[in-house]
Amino acid sequence: MGLRDDLERYRHVGEQRRQDLAEFIQYGDLGQSRPDAVRIPIKIVDLPEFAYDRRDMGGVGQGEGAEPGQPVGEPQPQPGDGDEPGDPGEEGADHEYYEMDPEEFAQELDEELGLDLEPKGKKVIEEVEGDFTDITRTGPSSTLDFERLFKQGLKRKLAMDFDREYVREALRIDGWGPARVFEWARGENIPVSRAWLEDAYDEIPDDERTAWASIEEMDDNVEHTSTAERIRREGVDQIPFRREDERYRYPEIEKEREKNVVVVNIRDVSGSMRQKKRELVERTFTPLDWYLQGKYDNAEFVYIAHDADAWEVEREEFFGIRSGGGTRISSAYDLAAELLEERYPWSEWNRYVFAAGDSENSSNDTEERVIPLMEEIPANLHAYVETQPSGNAINATHAEEVERHFGGDSNVAVAYVSGEEDVVDAIYTILSTEQEEVEA
């Protein structure tokens, strides 16, 4: 194994030492990442190297000032070797960062959570010719489906063919003629025409038209072979093709759809949303943003803050802003409906509406305004994340009301986050709900 192989092996080890993704989401420093680059800590793995000292150190095997064969003495302690109390473990483990784009993050999270969400395309950006799978009755000769034509002709051959010698013998039965043989043939499912029988009867000499006394005598003396047996034995001389059997292949038109997504993030910024609650919102929403950005061709994000009123903010403000007002969650959904209708038509955009807060809301607002708005806003998924680190407050009922109303609806998810350890479960609850909706 050469040095290059060693280098690759150590680099691989370094990537394997990457912090567990779930642990990073729950406890890691998300602020080190950018919207388009997720930076996950890894422990540094020192690569082996040779050190060459260019100073004149005397002859081979000699230290400076030492006579040949003289003991060199005990090695002297070096700084950092643990020669002073408290040295071992004094410094924390060094870290570097493994950087992945949102697409790789989405793949890693799928693997971590056992998900496989397949985004839907909406807006048609191109129509291309696919495989020649569609069929029409007309077309250029180069696209004639000859295999189909042959099969249709062979079916007709099998349907029309019969054992001519066997039928001719029936015309030799005493007292039988074309009419009687025709009736007999119909009963035996022999596809012979009346005209053919009359022509064949005319060819039989008069003295041979009484060769058999009965049909039973004829069957005892004449071998009857089926069409399939005769074709296997003798082959097929010709296939009866007809124009009505002709079909021409043409390409299926495939529509290339752009996978667009808009994610509306809604956060309660009222006075009750203290720092810990805000941190849990950020820890839940940020990985969801990365995940959906990695899944779709084009992802846009809308951030709405609200207390009793709602307003649009930039991402940089979204997680830190705080007001002293009350709470009216419906104000955020009113604004979300307006922005989605104006900028992101449902016919062209996949939509996700994620809201978070401590479940405190003004009286009757959830039942009378929020739930109807959630039902009116078309979206792939609506989700509400309750962040209550100290447990449910008496008046924190919004999440329960939403969950009770929508029950098992496939496009509404409700998750509860009391601490960092609940974040991954909340993300799974949301994304698995979306996966079920897509598969349905």
Side-chain angles (χ1 to χ4, degrees):
M1 181 180 289
L3 288 177
R4 187 180 300 276
D5 293 327
D6 278 335
L7 182 63
E8 289 301 320
R9 182 172 66 85
Y10 274 88
R11 183 174 291 116
H12 176 70
V13 170
E15 292 187 10
Q16 290 299 312
R17 294 292 296 275
R18 188 172 65 230
Q19 194 172 354
D20 177 75
L21 193 63
E23 182 183 344
F24 167 68
I25 291 172
Q26 291 171 319
Y27 305 106
D29 183 1
L30 306 184
Q32 291 288 341
S33 301
R34 304 188 306 273
D36 60 344
V38 185
R39 303 186 73 211
I40 298 181
I42 60 172
K43 289 185 177 180
I44 294 175
V45 177
D46 294 326
L47 301 181
E49 60 181 8
F50 291 107
Y52 177 68
D53 192 343
R54 294 181 177 276
R55 297 175 299 171
D56 183 6
M57 299 295 292
V60 176
Q62 291 180 256
E64 184 177 359
E67 294 296 330
Q70 185 177 358
V72 296
E74 296 296 324
Q76 297 300 310
Q78 299 296 319
D81 283 348
D83 52 333
E84 303 213 1
D87 278 353
E90 183 174 319
E91 296 183 2
D94 290 331
H95 285 81
E96 287 184 350
Y97 290 90
Y98 177 84
E99 192 168 290
M100 61 172 70
D101 58 27
E103 184 176 355
E104 184 181 354
F105 176 84
Q107 292 173 350
E108 292 276 350
L109 194 59
D110 275 341
E111 183 176 342
E112 182 84 23
L113 301 183
L115 298 169
D116 188 17
L117 187 149
E118 183 59 37
K120 295 180 292 187
K122 287 225 171 181
K123 184 179 179 181
V124 177
I125 57 175
E126 186 179 5
E127 292 187 353
V128 297
E129 292 185 353
D131 296 333
F132 281 73
T133 54
D134 287 341
I135 298 294
T136 183
R137 289 183 175 273
T138 59
S141 57
S142 61
T143 63
L144 175 65
D145 190 344
F146 183 76
E147 181 179 353
R148 185 182 188 280
L149 179 64
F150 180 83
K151 288 179 178 178
Q152 290 297 111
L154 185 58
K155 288 179 182 178
R156 183 173 289 106
K157 172 75 173 177
L158 293 172
M160 295 174 58
D161 196 68
F162 59 93
D163 189 342
R164 286 167 171 73
E165 294 306 317
Y166 179 70
V167 175
R168 281 193 181 94
E169 291 299 324
L171 292 170
R172 299 172 188 270
I173 298 174
D174 187 16
W176 284 33
R180 178 71 184 278
V181 172
F182 181 71
E183 292 297 324
W184 165 80
R186 288 179 60 185
E188 297 292 325
N189 294 318
I190 298 174
V192 62
S193 68
R194 183 72 174 266
W196 186 90
L197 288 170
E198 289 174 352
D199 290 342
Y201 189 71
D202 290 341
E203 294 174 0
I204 298 174
D206 293 342
D207 59 341
E208 295 182 12
R209 292 177 179 177
T210 58
W212 310 109
S214 65
I215 184 66
E216 290 79 15
E217 183 183 354
M218 186 200 80
D219 278 337
D220 290 341
N221 291 276
V222 177
E223 181 184 1
H224 178 213
T225 58
S226 67
T227 299
E229 291 173 353
R230 194 165 49 259
I231 288 177
R232 281 197 298 268
R233 186 174 63 200
E234 302 173 4
V236 180
D237 292 333
Q238 53 182 277
I239 298 293
F241 296 131
R242 292 185 181 178
R243 181 170 292 277
E244 65 194 62
D245 295 333
E246 292 180 358
R247 295 292 184 274
Y248 296 83
R249 292 176 289 106
Y250 71 95
E252 179 183 0
I253 301 301
E254 298 178 350
K255 294 180 179 180
E256 185 79 18
R257 297 180 182 272
E258 188 174 29
K259 296 174 181 177
N260 295 330
V261 66
V262 56
V263 183
V264 180
N265 286 315
I266 297 171
R267 187 175 82 78
D268 181 1
V269 300
S270 63
S272 62
M273 287 294 292
R274 305 191 192 285
Q275 182 177 351
K276 183 63 175 179
K277 296 177 182 179
R278 298 198 303 271
E279 290 175 355
L280 292 176
V281 174
E282 180 176 10
R283 199 164 287 284
T284 306
F285 276 9
T286 301
L288 286 171
D289 283 2
W290 288 334
Y291 181 84
L292 292 172
Q293 186 175 350
K295 281 289 185 177
Y296 284 87
D297 299 329
N298 180 33
E300 294 196 14
F301 299 89
V302 175
Y303 297 94
I304 296 176
H306 76 87
D307 44 26
D309 298 309
W311 61 99
E312 187 176 4
V313 298
E314 296 297 325
R315 186 184 190 282
E316 291 74 18
E317 305 175 67
F318 183 72
F319 295 112
I321 194 170
R322 181 182 173 190
S323 80
T327 306
R328 188 165 58 88
I329 300 175
S330 63
S331 63
Y333 281 89
D334 282 326
L335 180 57
E338 179 185 334
L339 296 178
L340 288 172
E341 184 66 25
E342 179 183 330
R343 304 177 193 169
Y344 307 100
W346 177 237
S347 59
E348 298 180 9
W349 289 81
N350 292 279
R351 295 169 169 179
Y352 295 81
V353 182
F354 297 154
D358 56 11
S359 274
E360 297 183 18
N361 196 13
S362 59
S363 178
N364 299 324
D365 185 57
T366 299
E367 181 180 354
E368 295 178 2
R369 294 288 298 139
V370 177
I371 289 174
L373 282 166
M374 291 175 70
E375 292 175 331
E376 291 170 11
I377 298 173
N380 298 52
L381 181 67
H382 285 276
Y384 184 78
V385 179
E386 178 190 288
T387 57
Q388 270 292 0
S390 58
N392 289 335
I394 296 177
N395 57 342
T397 61
H398 176 74
E400 293 179 1
E401 291 181 58
V402 171
E403 189 172 32
R404 184 166 56 247
H405 177 85
F406 288 102
D409 281 13
S410 60
N411 70 330
V412 178
V414 176
Y416 299 88
V417 179
S418 299
E420 289 86 352
E421 66 278 1
D422 299 325
V423 170
V424 172
D425 288 340
I427 291 172
Y428 176 79
T429 296
I430 294 168
L431 295 180
S432 62
T433 301
E434 160 63 355
Q435 180 173 264
E436 289 171 5
E437 192 274 335
V438 169
E439 291 175 350

